[in-house]
Amino acid sequence: MSYTRETDHGTPPAIATGKSVTLTIDGQPVTMPEGTSIMRAASLTGCSIPKLCATDNVESFGSCRLCLVEVEGRGGYPASCTTPIAEGMVVRTQSERLKQLRRGVMELYISDHPLDCLTCPANGDCELQEQAGAVGLRDVRYGYDGATNMGQAKDQSNPYFDFDPSKCIVCSRCVRACDEVQGTFALTIEGRGFDSKVAPSQGQDFLSSECVSCGACVQACPTATLTEKKVVEVGTPDRAVVTTCAYCGVGCTFRAEMRGEELVRMVPWKDGKANRGHSCVKGRFAWGYAQHRDRILNPMIRASVDEPWREVSWEEAIAHTASEFRRIQAKYGTRSIGGITSSRCTNEETFLVQKLIRQGFGNNNVDTCARVCHSPTGYGLKTTFGTSAGTQDFDSVMQADVILVIGANPTDGHPVFASRMKKRLRQGAKLIVIDPRRIDLVKSPHVEADHHLPLRPGTNVAMLTALAHVIVTEKLYDEAFIRERCDWDEFAEWADFVAEPQRSPEAVEPLTGVSAEEVRMAARLYATGGDAAIYYGLGVTEHSQGSSTVMAIANLAMATGNIGREGVGVNPLRGQNNVQGACDMGSFPHELSGYRHVSDDAARGQFEQAWGVTLDAEPGLRIPNMLDAATDGTFKGIFIQGEDILQSDPNTHHVAAGLAAMECVVVQDLFLNETANYAHVFLPGSTFLEKDGTFTNAERRIQRVRKVMAPLNGFEDWEIVQLVAQAMGLGWSYAHPSEIMDEIAALTPTFAGVHYDRLEEEGSLQWPANDAAPDGTPTMHIDGFVRGKGKFVVTDYVPTDEKTGPRFPLLLTTGRILSQYNVGAQTRRTANEAWHAEDRLEIHPTDAENRGINDGDWVSLKSRAGETSLRALITERVAPGVVYTTFHHPDTQANVITTDYSDWATNCPEYKVTAVQVMRSNGPSDWQRDYASQARQSRRIAPLEAAE
């Protein structure tokens, strides 16, 4: 599409009351919702009132005095942005007097503003310039001889945008956006009168301040005061394409604004139903990896991982891949190969990979990182509710009275949703945080948890059972809801179980380390505080009792009646952009798309008829089983799309051994990642900017991904998979991802109503979208659970096999940080490195002092599985006895430490509980140095060496 700025109606929509008001604006009758501002009402009818301080992303402010109007029967000239419409009101937006007033106001602004429009980076995209023309300003009567704010030094500290205070008109839009939209409160107006100016965090520069670089201030700025460096470098865009972010599970929609084939900026789309016009530092700015010099753009093969890579044609790479897979199966059997789908690729690409494995390889040896992080969600919620996904949309949080966050860090992992959550908390909702760390939500500007339960890692089930004990023994449960919606006998059995004295908060306090009284108060608040919603993350699922914890959460929600309406529910915060979609598409070895077991004859029959083959009715191998079979000599080949299992999966040494034992490892990715060190074929992938398709976010929202530029490697990822399938004798002939989605819809009941024309028309759809729910399903289980009656499940606490002791006295837990993403392959190749250039080990001052560790010291981190080294960060965010690190940097290889323990139901690794010892060290371990050397050796590319 050609470039046009999104329409800005000046003020947000009115809070819905169901009532309408009729008035007259410039002689035209207008009917609008009650509470709408005059400015918005005029804009919606095509009448543009001049404005500078007003923008519809933040509340009206009324400071610029440019939007004055005349209202019949009222004295003075009210600001249209702060004046609500009224029945029978007669408004004039133009008159001679209004023209004079507006020009006078504009003269004052221009008299303290540089007149360098021709060389200004915002030239042609500047609201001040635009509004000066709109009010008819032709000259300025005031000279520049007096004091001005021009000539102030630029702040260029932020890697993504510049701050030029000499161009600031002190409209406060950036300050209000930081407060109201982002909720960080990092900006303020400093000084008074003529000396007032915008300042970040007590006079610090932007990089050093509390600013999280979400871009809300840049988007709100009407001048060139806050400008993306890329706009300065390239110029203003000339076209825009709406697409979906490829980072976390929030699924923000952006306008990719282009100049020719070059991406200039990503601007959050105000019509995006997941993000509502907001963004984070990753989605807004960290897309430079798409053109990074490290990207591999030509296919490569090698006979042995000891050899350098050899660049080949696509034809040779595809033919070699198919030939190797056929050779291995002929020698070792049908089940000797398999594959891994990607939670970063589209639904269509993921669907094709599992189809390739089932139809082409003839087995069910398919797995995905979605199992490695959220498979307990699928198992637990399907068991209790009947469907393997969260119950609400993100907007629902604005109706919650009580918010319980367990095992999640939304401000770092899902920042755009966290901003909306914080807005609701500032409006008065209550907050309970269950987490070993003191995450930002526990206390940050204008947000403080009512109860923080800093439990010992691995005791989630004991904690949730203690909460249930209080609810049951104090009769705080919703009996009417339970009798109507759930199986009463199962509830009674569960209630008897949780009511036993050994499950009281007092009895489990020695296990969890949390005050019994605090647990009791939190339970009462959740049960009686109004509409209560639970949000959880990997701190719930990545445990040996992950599935039990999910079911325990579901038990709490059902017991209190907090299911089936807005403001309540059980909501998993998915990690990667398409974790939900990867699960939906049949990426598990035991399930076809739509979560139907491969042993289900009717479901399997549908696929057999559509694909013209007989499918295996036996579940295949999960990733750890594939690796075990590889070391045993029975599994010899694997196709890995968009996953770096060597860095992301537990027990790195075991992963390396399994990959090394295979005869053909095929990696399809953007970069030579850690897994590619063991690959024999590398197929260069395409970024989200170079493809069409769909992602499904954490709220089950299916959204379009649109091609912004041609793939630098020559193919979209789905086309590469199709080439492999064709080389293996499969008659695939898809011409566009929309045809793949049509096949998905035909074979997957929850996607039956999902087609590209509907997505273009609606913007997005939340599954189930079918004949029963043609417009999708924002809220699940409204009239009844998908499974019929809600199922209460007894969840007994079973301590993890991973125990602390004299050798390993501390507990390690892991997580993410705002600026980096997953294994860091994308974000480490952007300027986000400015905020997090290395993984650090958080350790409590007491534990550090006992070991003679100072802040910044190198320390060894050792477990029963392995050892690595990294630098210490002494902080009280972790409790004594607990240490914490991120896993974004391969130099650290944090998963060398994690063990093979996993969830009892799904094999989801127990990343969050590892017994460790921490001691001072002299720098990286010998293993890290050896690994780095081997990685460099493995990444040699023959043509480059020949050229040298």
Side-chain angles (χ1 to χ4, degrees):
M1 67 179 77
S2 61
Y3 179 76
T4 54
R5 191 190 303 147
E6 280 192 88
T7 301
D8 188 335
H9 297 300
T11 62
I15 297 174
T17 64
K19 299 178 182 178
S20 296
V21 169
T22 299
L23 69 157
T24 300
I25 300 178
D26 293 336
Q28 301 297 317
V30 175
T31 300
M32 291 285 164
E34 181 183 55
T36 301
S37 70
I38 292 176
M39 176 179 285
R40 186 177 182 86
S43 178
L44 289 168
T45 58
C47 174
S48 179
I49 298 174
K51 63 183 186 299
L52 280 176
C53 74
T55 179
D56 56 15
N57 279 340
V58 295
E59 297 299 323
S60 56
F61 195 54
S63 71
C64 75
R65 314 312 293 168
L66 202 64
C67 71
L68 306 179
V69 294
E70 294 177 349
V71 178
E72 193 173 282
R74 295 191 188 182
Y77 302 92
S80 62
C81 65
T82 57
T83 306
I85 60 176
E87 186 66 36
M89 178 183 280
V90 177
V91 177
R92 283 187 293 275
T93 68
Q94 284 286 85
S95 71
E96 286 303 315
R97 181 57 179 155
L98 288 173
K99 292 177 185 177
Q100 292 173 4
L101 290 169
R102 290 170 180 163
R103 278 196 293 266
V105 169
M106 184 59 75
E107 276 189 274
L108 294 172
Y109 280 115
I110 298 300
S111 69
D112 191 26
H113 193 83
L115 297 180
D116 58 352
C117 293
L118 291 179
T119 57
C120 177
N123 186 25
D125 192 25
C126 171
E127 292 181 49
L128 182 66
Q129 185 183 61
E130 181 183 304
Q131 297 303 328
V135 302
L137 183 67
R138 297 296 175 258
D139 66 79
V140 179
R141 292 170 290 172
Y142 317 112
Y144 290 90
D145 297 334
T148 70
N149 287 300
M150 290 184 281
Q152 297 183 65
K154 286 184 181 180
D155 177 354
Q156 297 180 305
S157 61
N158 189 286
Y160 293 118
F161 59 83
D162 296 334
F163 173 55
D164 185 352
S166 69
K167 296 186 176 182
C168 180
I169 60 174
V170 200
C171 65
S172 295
R173 277 165 56 163
C174 60
V175 178
R176 289 146 55 209
C178 187
D179 295 354
E180 298 175 25
V181 180
Q182 170 56 30
T184 296
F185 297 85
L187 302 178
T188 187
I189 300 294
E190 185 179 88
R192 301 186 66 177
F194 187 77
D195 294 326
S196 61
K197 60 180 180 180
V198 172
S201 296
Q202 301 177 347
Q204 295 175 298
D205 61 35
F206 266 88
L207 184 61
S208 305
S209 73
E210 294 174 344
C211 169
V212 294
S213 297
C214 68
C217 60
V218 180
Q219 187 177 0
C221 182
T223 68
T225 306
L226 288 158
T227 307
E228 290 100 324
K229 293 180 188 288
K230 194 72 174 179
V231 173
V232 177
E233 174 192 335
V234 178
T236 53
D238 55 23
R239 65 185 179 92
V241 179
V242 174
T243 191
T244 303
C245 179
Y247 277 119
C248 79
V250 174
C252 296
T253 311
F254 282 86
R255 280 164 48 97
E257 299 193 349
M258 310 288 296
R259 190 167 187 86
E261 280 289 294
E262 188 166 9
L263 181 57
V264 178
R265 62 188 175 197
M266 295 286 282
V267 179
W269 195 38
K270 288 191 287 190
D271 287 342
K273 294 178 183 177
N275 57 317
R276 303 294 183 189
H278 190 34
S279 61
C280 79
V281 62
K282 294 190 288 290
R284 179 68 193 260
F285 297 118
W287 38 264
Y289 68 88
Q291 285 83 32
H292 196 274
R293 63 182 179 276
D294 286 352
R295 268 194 74 180
I296 304 298
L297 301 179
N298 297 308
M300 302 186 298
I301 62 176
R302 58 185 176 183
S304 166
V305 298
D306 299 325
E307 298 178 0
W309 285 105
R310 178 170 62 90
E311 291 185 348
V312 298
S313 67
W314 273 106
E315 291 76 12
E316 182 177 348
I318 297 297
H320 177 78
T321 299
S323 173
E324 280 293 278
F325 283 152
R326 284 195 296 263
R327 177 188 67 80
I328 290 170
Q329 286 190 305
K331 183 175 181 180
Y332 299 103
T334 301
R335 298 184 181 182
S336 60
I337 63 174
I340 300 173
T341 73
S342 175
S343 293
R344 291 188 288 124
C345 288
T346 65
N347 286 316
E348 294 77 5
E349 291 159 350
T350 302
F351 183 83
L352 288 192
V353 171
Q354 64 87 32
K355 179 179 179 179
L356 170 67
I357 293 162
R358 291 190 160 106
Q359 183 191 32
F361 293 3
N363 61 54
N364 289 312
N365 293 337
V366 58
D367 203 358
T368 180
C369 92
R371 184 196 55 76
V372 178
C373 58
H374 261 288
S375 50
T377 287
Y379 183 90
L381 296 186
K382 187 172 185 179
T383 300
T384 52
F385 297 162
T387 187
S388 302
T391 63
Q392 315 293 126
D393 62 8
F394 290 145
D395 287 342
S396 175
V397 75
M398 298 307 293
Q399 309 301 319
D401 300 308
V402 178
I403 299 169
L404 192 160
V405 177
I406 174 171
N409 187 3
T411 55
D412 279 17
H414 304 84
V416 171
F417 171 71
S419 293
R420 199 173 314 175
M421 179 187 289
K422 289 193 293 183
K423 184 174 184 177
R424 179 58 186 154
L425 293 170
R426 294 195 302 273
Q427 292 173 350
K430 303 297 184 181
L431 175 63
I432 303 165
V433 174
I434 305 177
D435 198 284
R437 294 174 73 230
R438 190 177 294 117
I439 61 174
D440 286 346
L441 281 178
V442 173
K443 189 171 184 179
S444 57
H446 302 278
V447 168
E448 184 171 2
D450 295 87
H451 303 286
H452 176 212
L453 312 181
L455 79 176
R456 186 170 291 115
T459 60
N460 284 337
V461 172
M463 172 60 70
L464 291 167
T465 304
L467 293 170
H469 175 93
V470 177
I471 291 169
V472 168
T473 57
E474 297 185 8
K475 299 191 183 302
L476 304 179
Y477 51 84
D478 187 337
E479 182 174 344
F481 178 92
I482 298 165
R483 288 191 178 277
E484 178 186 354
R485 301 283 302 275
C486 306
D487 185 300
W488 180 261
D489 291 338
E490 289 175 344
F491 165 75
E493 180 185 353
W494 172 79
D496 288 343
F497 169 79
V498 300
E500 293 174 357
Q502 65 267 33
R503 295 180 178 89
S504 69
E506 290 75 15
V508 302
E509 184 174 332
L511 292 174
T512 65
V514 180
S515 155
E517 184 56 30
E518 194 72 17
V519 173
R520 286 188 176 276
M521 290 190 293
R524 291 164 187 152
L525 175 59
Y526 175 75
T528 65
D531 287 336
I534 299 177
Y535 295 89
Y536 70 88
L538 303 184
V540 160
T541 57
E542 291 178 344
H543 287 271
S544 59
Q545 281 201 285
S547 294
S548 297
T549 307
V550 173
M551 291 188 289
I553 288 171
N555 290 340
L556 282 184
M558 290 186 293
T560 54
N562 281 306
I563 286 288
R565 61 186 184 279
E566 289 190 1
V568 299
V570 174
N571 307 281
L573 296 175
R574 304 285 191 168
Q576 298 191 71
N577 55 297
N578 204 34
V579 165
Q580 183 67 61
C583 298
D584 299 339
M585 293 299 101
S587 295
F588 296 139
H590 64 290
E591 285 180 335
L592 302 164
S593 64
Y595 305 98
R596 290 161 298 163
H597 203 277
V598 293
S599 63
D600 182 329
D601 292 339
R604 199 174 65 257
Q606 283 184 283
F607 288 84
E608 290 176 337
Q609 183 175 1
W611 294 349
V613 297
T614 300
L615 299 182
D616 194 342
E618 289 294 320
L621 301 177
R622 295 167 174 165
I623 294 172
N625 306 128
M626 295 183 203
L627 296 171
D628 289 342
T631 57
D632 290 343
T634 59
F635 188 87
K636 292 293 184 177
I638 191 167
F639 182 96
I640 304 174
Q641 181 190 63
E643 284 299 322
D644 190 359
I645 61 171
L646 191 70
Q647 189 178 344
S648 65
D649 281 35
N651 197 340
T652 302
H653 294 308
H654 179 57
V655 177
L659 291 170
M662 298 184 199
E663 295 182 7
C664 183
V665 175
V666 179
V667 169
Q668 180 184 358
D669 216 311
L670 303 175
F671 308 102
L672 281 173
N673 57 24
E674 305 310 302
T675 303
N677 295 340
Y678 292 87
H680 305 89
V681 180
F682 189 89
L683 304 177
S686 54
T687 70
F688 78 109
L689 297 169
E690 302 163 341
K691 63 177 70 171
D692 283 299
T694 58
F695 293 150
T696 306
N697 75 351
E699 49 173 1
R700 297 170 284 103
R701 188 179 301 282
I702 306 154
Q703 301 181 104
R704 283 280 280 114
V705 180
R706 295 178 179 86
K707 187 190 295 186
V708 172
M709 60 183 70
L712 297 180
N713 64 341
F715 293 102
E716 298 178 44
D717 284 325
W718 69 268
E719 294 176 302
I720 298 169
V721 179
Q722 176 161 273
L723 289 172
V724 174
Q726 290 169 341
M728 294 197 70
L730 305 180
W732 295 7
S733 58
Y734 304 105
H736 189 268
S738 60
E739 297 177 4
I740 306 172
M741 179 54 73
D742 289 342
E743 182 174 323
I744 294 168
L747 293 171
T748 312
T750 49
F751 276 66
V754 180
H755 303 280
Y756 275 35
D757 55 351
R758 285 299 314 281
L759 294 174
E760 294 292 344
E761 178 184 341
E762 300 293 334
S764 64
L765 289 169
Q766 290 175 263
W767 68 258
N770 46 32
D771 290 341
D775 297 322
T777 312
T779 302
M780 297 282 283
H781 317 298
I782 292 177
D783 299 318
F785 289 100
V786 170
R787 71 181 306 278
K789 293 285 189 179
K791 182 178 182 64
F792 282 88
V793 178
V794 170
T795 54
D796 200 1
Y797 168 63
V798 179
T800 174
D801 288 336
E802 180 69 352
K803 301 290 195 301
T804 57
R807 288 182 61 210
F808 304 107
L810 304 175
L811 283 176
L812 169 71
T813 189
T814 62
R816 300 178 180 180
I817 200 165
L818 170 65
S819 58
Q820 296 286 2
Y821 173 69
N822 207 37
V823 297
Q826 294 150 275
T827 45
R828 282 187 285 105
R829 292 176 171 90
T830 71
N832 279 27
E833 283 284 89
W835 290 282
H836 189 76
E838 62 179 331
D839 294 322
R840 300 281 292 270
L841 184 74
E842 293 186 8
I843 184 169
H844 190 271
T846 301
D847 293 322
E849 183 178 1
N850 290 341
R851 290 162 174 77
I853 295 170
N854 297 311
D855 195 72
D857 283 353
W858 279 94
V859 297
S860 69
L861 179 66
K862 187 174 184 179
S863 74
R864 294 177 179 89
E867 179 180 4
T868 189
S869 291
L870 68 171
R871 293 197 303 136
L873 176 63
I874 299 176
T875 175
E876 292 187 350
R877 288 172 69 94
V878 292
V882 176
V883 291
Y884 169 89
T885 190
T886 51
F887 54 91
H888 303 302
H889 290 266
D891 295 341
T892 306
Q893 285 287 351
N895 283 323
V896 168
I897 305 302
T898 53
T899 67
D900 280 332
Y901 294 126
S902 61
D903 174 52
W904 62 269
T906 66
N907 237 177
C908 182
E910 189 170 48
Y911 291 111
K912 302 304 183 187
V913 187
T914 305
V916 297
Q917 178 59 287
V918 177
M919 303 295 290
R920 290 185 63 178
S921 73
N922 294 320
S925 65
D926 292 341
W927 177 85
Q928 286 169 285
R929 293 189 183 96
D930 291 344
Y931 176 82
S933 175
Q934 292 168 6
R936 285 192 298 270
Q937 181 77 3
S938 177
R939 289 169 184 166
R940 292 176 300 148
I941 300 175
L944 298 180
E945 288 189 338
E948 291 172 2

